[in-house]
């Protein structure tokens, strides 16, 4: 198949003429002419020079930037857009707090959208070939979203009970419409059917005679296999236990088995498209350039050429510099260049150090730091270094310590071993300095010695001194820096022979002659500007006129004027310069360019440069410019010049161009575009290979395999005129400079090493080289390759004149979830509105999706002049990407589209119908060798009434101190002995009987601050036979928020009386309280500060132990206010369990820093000491706000062995002590925590392993043992299920596979394994407690390899929920439920928490192996997404880790969308930075797409008294729009 015959015959375009332009324009615009005549209401503004406030001269901001477009296709796009009526997005716009962002002031912005065009941008972008397809695709956003939704499959995700859809009638709000759209994104389905396993289960079921028989023998049939992954740390005979475990356990697999990349089983691999184009040509044959000619008088080195011209042509001009207005400022002759270079070489070698210890020796590297506006000083420094035989390393001038890329430049200087820098006096004065006047140490730079090279500081060499000019050899001549795609700056070493050969090859290819005039518009320190304007020009005695970048910005026609005035023969420019001159040509009508014979376009390898070349030719052809003089070329820092078009003879046919399919290019093949002209790429050649070079095309990825003739690949070159290595980086050098191409079979094609150029292209007919892109701009998404310049051109075709600056757009890709995701960042104009920006971003998404068939992941707009810039004004891509990933970009508008571009999510889990019953599951566990997941504590003895215990202690040991209350200073403000507590309780009983008028069994609210009064009031109620209800008092400074909760508990409990103190009684009846509640309806309020002196006639004794003792009200993590009934039997057995577990006796002291109003905190504060007789040191948590080290100093002062606290106490200490080490050292002075044997954290949640471990490490130096910190677990149905005792084994920690956990499976892995989740045991199961893991749906028992709901059976379980309407069904479901299979007659209580049981190798106090209970999360809070079960704490942990400014986070679901709420601890300017980071981390670690990201102020996420998040309250506030968010982002 001859591809090129078709490619270059029927589909070729020559240079377009004006007549052809008009003809093609009329043809394309024909269908839209009526619309154009009626819709065009403004004319393009005329260009004109302007100046910015920063002092830089720029062109008019109203000028149209035709570098990115061709007029034909731009007008076609505008006509197509005008044909369709604009419609607003169906998606809700992001909501933003107006105070969050302050736009850059207009005077600080650079209004012209072309002034900051990148010198390194790859020049002219695509000219917007988007007419017909874009006209169809850029309809209303509604159409585009609906089309994407209809083409996607239906989601199979199931919402959990916490993500139920709220009913708002038939009409849906925009937010609910968004949710419906996003919930219908593409999700596949999978059906997993384990046929063999079902057969085994069926056979086993057939063999079972009766279920009861099986249940009888289960305890004897269950094997006890060792549990790998559980650490062995027993207190009894540790070494023997370790030896036994070593013998028992099977040999572990090698470490690599645990850390293999599991992306194949996670990622949904798309099926290959059979219509994907594939290369069909033959293997390419290497292309050889013309032989390098032999010149008789060619100098042996470049220095020799300079010496010859300096002596024989001393007055011949070598360099002319221009001032800022474009007029000649100074001319450097060859004589002056030679003499000054000699002085500098002599000074460097002889005057910087002593004769015995010189600073520089031949071969040392020297940095050249000169601005572009001073090329003469750079020339002298460069040739001075060559004469001194030191290696020059030209770099850009650092303007500040925080320059973009400064760290990478420092890496370059360090890898090259640079310790000395040459600069000019003016440049040195402009460098940033310290207050002492010294040059600032730039970030990442090595220590530098600065040397000024102005003539007055140089020493004239002695007459007998002559520089050593050796014949060119393989020694390094100079080092040119090169920035990689990742932003790393490396130094390409060019040898002396390569330098000389390259100059010879350029002279031969460009046909340079002595005495010619060359105009150089490029940077003279690198690339084509250095090779042509500094090296080859001196070799051929050419007069170079340098036009710096600053001059071009002030006077865009300056280089054309120089060509006209000096009748220059050669000009070296970029497409940017062609465009600028074309825009300003009207000011210079008498320009004549007939003298120019070669117009070298340095970035002509960019495929979008063809339009600028054509446009420039159309304008200046009437000024004498000949079409054949335009010579694009291709170059790279590694291979130097790769190819260049030779100037043709006048009248000869111009080289042809090809129109290629962008779809084919994305697959790496060459295809002619015959159907869709708008998604085509017009490519021009860059001439032939350089003389003396050998070129071939290899695959850009993997081994360097030769490509086929119709395949796009990377150009590799073999030539003596190229770089030799990356200086100081031998490993990277081998992969770039020593490439051996291989054939299809993998055999090497000879032993000639080639150099990778980083250019992507192919070879056309006549050995013409075509370049379609660069490796550094390549974005590989889902196996398809896209060019960043193509995406920029498409984005700019959507007419962003009112929204963004055209020349300030960065396109890059970030790796998220095993694929590259495309990100576009642009600078927004200060006057652009929110709606205009959002509309433009949404239309860009449509355009890129239609033209390139690729979805954008993120599109961000930043304020003007905030993107990091290169030294020449372009956008620093790698630094922008780094800022994006680190959250330092600070966008003002952002739009994420993960739902449309992330197509490799794993298939959702399809839940099987309930055909497998609980009996089958149990038998399956038996067959698999799994033991049933159940565990029990030791036996529990008899009980007694708690009120009787206090009376007995008051009689037997009246002076024993039970309670000590501390204040913020650590002083005991109140104590209570057994007798004192008993007498005070009796007085309260008398007050209740006299003033309350209560009956037995009435409910009494106890409204007290944490203290002994609360304890006395509780026992007073027990003595009186009434039911106490402890309630947290309202906060005096926040009555509006806290008082309604108090009122609600009173109303729900039907309290007949309130016991409180005088200050709180005044608050309840105050005017402030009346503004929140009706104070006239309070029940009887009794002030216990004034009690009667007489004793009650008798104390109440309950007739049975099952009578109600008190009500425990608490707000659960799901936001429900629940009150549970605790009987006298339950509290006495609970106290006995705690006494046995913790070994509590009268001689013991424990410290309690807990909230005393509910749960286990109330039990420890009020009940346990009276039952066990130990002394409790009470530390109110609110006192820690005044004195942070109070709790720790109490432990040290009283030598406490056992203490109880909450997570909020740990958190209050931990961050402060880390941030301020001085506070920690001050507090720790004389503090000793080695006495602490047990520090138990009380909570109703999964143990926070990271917090407990960091807390232990933080206070390890104070003697705190890491074994001392443990956790307890309780729930509403049973206040204490697990509690780490003193005699039990240490808490176990296991690592669970998170992927299995989402499927309700438990698979242990090694520490550090991918997707591993560390879980700590929730404490030892209390005596008398029995737990079992149950399937919450089938209510059947599960094996220890399953995750299920924790059911508990215990004598101290709650009696039921306290409800005023008698909802007995709810009570029976939670407190008196039965297994559907196994033990149908046993009553269990459902905790509502998910967990699992694992038998460890540790030994308990009885000598048996320890069964550990691991709590994973609350059932009601789990998120059911994509058929999988997610736990909010796991996602929140990932979110909090995403950025340093995220103080706290919470997640919930809303109509199948995942909503993430993040508290911003930093500046509001960082709010939008969090949106992509949060989306990235959730997608990477949990394989979920975030639907909504809400950024709020610190403290917005509600937290209860135990430090647990109230996610459902947060969800309700979000739906009611009560959060006052900083920013809300709706991901598309």
């Amino acid at each position: 198949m001859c591809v090129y015959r078709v490619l270059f015959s029927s589909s070729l375009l020559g240079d377009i003429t004006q007549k052809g332009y008009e003809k093609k324009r009329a043809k394309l615009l024909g269908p839209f002419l009526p619309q154009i005549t009626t819709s065009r209401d403004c004319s393009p503004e005329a260009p004109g020079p302007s100046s910015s406030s920063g002092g830089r001269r720029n062109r008019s901001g109203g000028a149209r930037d035709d570098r990115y477009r061709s007029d034909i296709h731009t007008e076609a796009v505008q006509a197509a857009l005008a044909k369709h009526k604009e419609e607003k997005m169906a998606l809700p716009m992001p909501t933003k707090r107006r105070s969050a962002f302050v736009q850059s002031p207009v005077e600080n912005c650079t209004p012209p959208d072309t002034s900051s065009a990148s010198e390194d941008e790859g020049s002219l972008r695509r000219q917007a070939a988007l007419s017909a397809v874009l006209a169809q695709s850029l309809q209303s956003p509604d159409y585009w979203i609906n089309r994407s939704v209809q083409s996607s499959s239906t989601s199979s995700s199931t919402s959990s009970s916490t993500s139920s859809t709220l009913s708002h009638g038939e009409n849906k709000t925009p937010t609910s419409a968004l949710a419906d759209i996003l919930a219908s994104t593409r999700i596949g389905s999978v059906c997993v059917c384990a046929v063999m396993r079902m057969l085994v289960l069926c056979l086993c079921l057939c063999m079972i005679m009766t279920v009861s028989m099986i249940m009888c023998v289960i305890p004897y049939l269950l094997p006890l296999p060792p549990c790998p992954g559980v650490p062995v740390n027993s207190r009894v005979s540790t070494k023997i236990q370790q030896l036994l475990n070593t013998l028992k356990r099977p040999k572990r697999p090698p470490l690599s088995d645990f850390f293999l990349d599991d992306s194949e089983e996670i990622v949904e691999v798309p099926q290959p498209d059979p219509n994907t184009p594939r290369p069909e040509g033959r293997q390419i044959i290497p292309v050889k350039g013309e032989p390098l000619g032999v010149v008789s008088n060619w100098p042996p080195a470049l220095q020799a050429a300079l010496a010859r011209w300096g002596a024989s042509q001393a007055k011949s001009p070598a360099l002319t510099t221009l001032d800022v207005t474009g007029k000649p400022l100074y001319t450097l002759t060859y004589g002056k260049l030679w003499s000054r270079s000699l002085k500098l070489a002599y000074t460097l070698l002889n005057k910087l150090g002593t004769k015995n210890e010189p600073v520089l020796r031949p071969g040392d590297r020297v940095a050249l730091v000169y601005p572009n506006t001073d090329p003469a000083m750079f020339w002298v420094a460069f040739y001075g270094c060559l004469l001194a035989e030191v290696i020059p390393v030209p770099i850009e001038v650092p303007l500040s310590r925080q320059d973009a890329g400064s760290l990478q430049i420092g890496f370059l200087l360090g890898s090259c071993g640079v310790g000395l820098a040459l600069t000019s006096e003016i440049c040195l004065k402009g460098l940033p300095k310290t207050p002492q006047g010294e040059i600032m140490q730039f970030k990442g730079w090595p220590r530098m010695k600065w040397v000024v090279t102005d003539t007055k500081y140089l020493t004239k060499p002695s007459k007998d001194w002559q520089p050593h000019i050796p014949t060119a050899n393989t020694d390094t001549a100079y080092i040119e820096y090169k920035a990689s795609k990742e932003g790393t700056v490396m130094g390409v070493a060019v040898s002396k022979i390569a330098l000389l050969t390259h100059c010879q090859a350029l002279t031969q290819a460009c046909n340079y002659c002595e005495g010619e005039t060359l105009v150089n518009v490029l940077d003279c320190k690198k690339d084509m500007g250095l090779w042509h304007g500094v090296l080859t020009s001196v070799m051929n005695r050419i007069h170079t006129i340098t036009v710096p970048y600053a001059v071009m910005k002030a006077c865009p026609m300056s280089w054309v004027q120089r060509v006209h005035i000096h009748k220059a023969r050669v000009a070296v420019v970029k497409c940017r310069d062609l465009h600028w001159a074309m825009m300003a040509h009207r000011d210079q009508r008498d320009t004549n360019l007939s003298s120019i014979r070669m117009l070298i376009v340095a970035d002509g390898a960019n495929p979008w440069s063809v339009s600028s070349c054509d446009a420039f030719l159309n304008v200046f052809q009437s000024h004498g410019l000949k079409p054949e003089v335009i010579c694009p070329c291709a170059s790279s820092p590694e291979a130097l010049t790769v190819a260049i078009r030779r100037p043709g003879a006048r009248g000869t046919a111009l080289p042809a161009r090809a129109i290629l399919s962008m779809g084919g290019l994305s697959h790496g093949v060459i295809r002619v575009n015959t159907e869709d002209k708008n998604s085509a790429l017009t490519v021009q050649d860059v001439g032939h290979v350089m003389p003396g070079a050998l070129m071939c095309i290899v695959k850009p990825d993997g081994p360097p395999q030769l490509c086929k003739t119709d395949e796009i690949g990377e150009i590799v070159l073999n030539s003596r005129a190229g770089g030799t290595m990356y200086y100081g980086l031998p490993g990277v050098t081998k992969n770039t400079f020593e490439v051996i191409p291989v054939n299809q079979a993998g055999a090497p094609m000879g032993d000639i090493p080639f150099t990778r150029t980083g250019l992507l292209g192919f070879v056309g007919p006549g050995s013409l080289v075509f370049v379609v892109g660069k490796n550094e701009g390549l974005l590989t998404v889902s196996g398809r390759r896209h060019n960043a310049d193509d995406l920029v051109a498409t984005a700019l075709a959507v007419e962003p004149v009112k929204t963004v600056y055209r020349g300030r757009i960065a396109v890059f890709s970030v790796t998220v979830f095993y694929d590259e995701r495309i990100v576009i960042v642009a600078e927004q104009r200060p006057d652009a509105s929110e709606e205009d920006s959002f509309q433009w971003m949404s239309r860009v998404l449509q355009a890129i999706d239609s033209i390139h068939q690729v979805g954008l992941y993120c599109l961000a707009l930043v304020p003007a002049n905030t993107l990091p810039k290169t030294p020449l004004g372009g956008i620093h891509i790698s630094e922008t990407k780094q800022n994006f990933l680190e959250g330092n970009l600070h966008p003002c508008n952002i739009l994420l589209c993960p739902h449309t571009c992330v197509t490799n999510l794993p298939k959702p889990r399809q839940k099987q119908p309930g055909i497998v019953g609980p009996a089958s599951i149990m038998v399956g566990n038996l067959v698999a060798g799994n033991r049933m997941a159940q565990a029990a504590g030791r036996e529990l003895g008899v009980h007694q009434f708690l009120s009787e215990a206090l009376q007995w202690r008051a009689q037997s040991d009246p002076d024993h101190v039970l309670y000590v209350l501390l204040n913020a200073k650590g002083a005991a403000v109140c104590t209570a002995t057994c007798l004192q507590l008993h007498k005070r309780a009796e007085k309260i009983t008398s007050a209740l009987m006299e003033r309350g008028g209560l009956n037995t069994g009435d409910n009494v609210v106890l409204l007290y601050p944490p203290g002994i009064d609360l304890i006395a009031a509780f026992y007073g109620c027990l003595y009186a036979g009434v039911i106490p209800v402890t309630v947290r008092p309202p906060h005096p400074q926040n009555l509006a928020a806290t008082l309604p909760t108090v009122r609600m508990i009173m109303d729900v409990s039907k309290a007949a009386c309130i016991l409180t103190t005088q200050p709180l009684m005044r608050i309840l009846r105050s005017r402030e309280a009346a503004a929140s509640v009706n104070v006239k309806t309070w029940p009887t309020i009794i002030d216990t500060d004034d009690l009667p002196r007489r004793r009650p006639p008798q104390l109440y004794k309950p007739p049975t132990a099952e009578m109600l003792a008190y009500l425990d009200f608490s707000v659960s993590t799901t936001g429900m206010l629940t009150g549970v009934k605790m009987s006298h039997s339950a509290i006495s057995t609970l106290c006995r369990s705690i006494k046995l577990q913790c070994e509590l006796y009268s001689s013991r002291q424990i410290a309690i820093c807990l909230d005393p109003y509910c749960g286990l905190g109330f039990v420890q504060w009020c009940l346990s000491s009276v039952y066990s007789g130990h002394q409790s040191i009470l530390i109110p948590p609110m006192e820690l706000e005044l004195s942070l080290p109070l709790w720790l100093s109490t432990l040290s002062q009283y030598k406490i062995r056992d203490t109880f606290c909450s997570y909020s106490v740990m958190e209050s200490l931990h961050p402060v002590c880390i941030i301020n080490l001085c506070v920690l050292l001050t507090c720790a002075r004389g503090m000793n925590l080695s006495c602490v044997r047990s520090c138990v954290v009380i909570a109703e949640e999964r143990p926070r392993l990271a917090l407990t471990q960091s807390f232990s490490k933080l206070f390890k130096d104070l003697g705190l043992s890491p074994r001392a910190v443990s956790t307890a677990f309780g729930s509403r149905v049973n206040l204490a299920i697990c509690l780490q005792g003193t005699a039990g084994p240490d808490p176990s920690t296991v690592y669970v596979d998170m992927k299995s956990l989402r499927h309700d499976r438990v698979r242990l892995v090694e520490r550090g394994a991918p997707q591993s989740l560390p879980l700590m045991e929730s404490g030892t199961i209390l005596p008398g407690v029995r737990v079992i893991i149950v399937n919450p749906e089938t209510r059947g028992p599960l094996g220890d390899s399953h995750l299920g709901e924790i059911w508990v059976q215990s004598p101290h379980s709650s009696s039921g929920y306290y409800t005023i309407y008698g909802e007995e069904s709810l009570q029976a479901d939670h407190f008196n439920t039965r297994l559907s299979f196994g033990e149908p007659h046993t009553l269990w209580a459902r905790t509502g928490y998910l967990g699992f049981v694992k038998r460890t190798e540790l030994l308990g106090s009885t000598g048996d192996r320890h069964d550990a209970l691991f709590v994973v999360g609350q059932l009601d809070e789990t998120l059911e997404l994509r058929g999988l079960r997610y736990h909010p704490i796991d996602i929140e942990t990932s979110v909090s880790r995403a950025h340093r400014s995220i103080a706290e986070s919470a997640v919930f679901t809303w109509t199948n969308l995942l909503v993430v709420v993040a508290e911003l601890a930093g500046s509001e300017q960082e709010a939008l930075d969090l949106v992509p980071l949060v989306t990235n981390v959730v997608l990477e670690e949990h394989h979920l797409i975030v639907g909504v990201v809400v950024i709020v102020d610190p403290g917005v996420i509600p937290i209860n008294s135990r430090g647990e998040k109230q996610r459902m309250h947060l969800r309700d506030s979000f739906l009611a729009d009560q959060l006052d968010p900083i920013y809300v982002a709706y991901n598309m």
Side-chain angles (χ1 to χ4, degrees), residues 256-267 818 1314:
S256 60
D257 289 3
F258 291 103
F259 302 97
L260 293 178
D261 188 8
D262 54 356
S263 61
E264 294 183 358
E265 53 186 74
I266 295 177
V267 178
Y818 304 101

Side-chain angles (χ1 to χ4, degrees), residues 736-814:
T736 302
F737 294 91
E738 302 175 14
V739 175
I740 306 294
V742 297
N743 57 17
Q744 302 292 334
M749 304 294 291
D751 55 355
I752 303 176
F754 285 76
T755 300
R756 291 185 179 269
T757 64
L759 301 176
L760 303 175
F762 60 95
V763 179
S767 299
L768 291 175
V769 181
F770 290 82
V771 177
V772 297
K774 295 183 178 180
N775 257 337
E776 60 185 24
L778 196 64
L779 311 175
T780 304
V781 181
S782 299
R784 297 179 59 192
R785 295 181 289 193
H786 305 273
N787 196 296
D789 290 337
D790 303 350
L791 300 177
V792 170
T794 304
L796 293 182
V798 194
E799 199 57 40
V801 174
K802 298 181 180 179
T803 309
V804 300
Y805 292 100
R806 304 187 68 88
R808 309 182 196 172
I809 295 185
V811 177
F812 52 87
S813 63
V814 295

Side-chain angles (χ1 to χ4, degrees), residues 14-16 609-619 630 657 684:
D15 290 336
I16 191 168
S609 63
V610 59
S611 55
S612 285
C613 296
D614 290 345
F616 184 81
L617 179 62
N618 288 335
V619 172
I630 298 179
R657 299 172 185 170
Q684 67 174 349

Side-chain angles (χ1 to χ4, degrees), residues 701 1246 1313 1473:
D701 303 321
R1246 178 199 300 180
D1473 286 313

Side-chain angles (χ1 to χ4, degrees), residues 236-296:
V236 182
S237 58
T238 305
K239 294 184 178 180
I240 298 177
Q241 186 67 45
Q242 289 178 350
L243 178 60
L244 290 175
N245 293 337
T246 304
L247 297 176
K248 288 180 182 179
R249 293 178 179 176
K251 187 177 181 181
R252 292 185 179 182
L255 195 62
S256 60
D257 289 3
F258 291 103
F259 302 97
L260 293 178
D261 188 8
D262 54 356
S263 61
E264 294 183 358
E265 53 186 74
I266 295 177
V267 178
E268 173 67 14
V269 180
Q271 297 297 326
D273 186 0
N275 299 322
T276 300
R278 302 181 183 278
E280 301 172 355
R282 56 178 174 80
Q283 182 175 290
I284 192 172
I285 300 176
V287 179
K288 192 173 184 180
E290 59 192 275
L292 196 61
V294 179
V295 183
S296 58

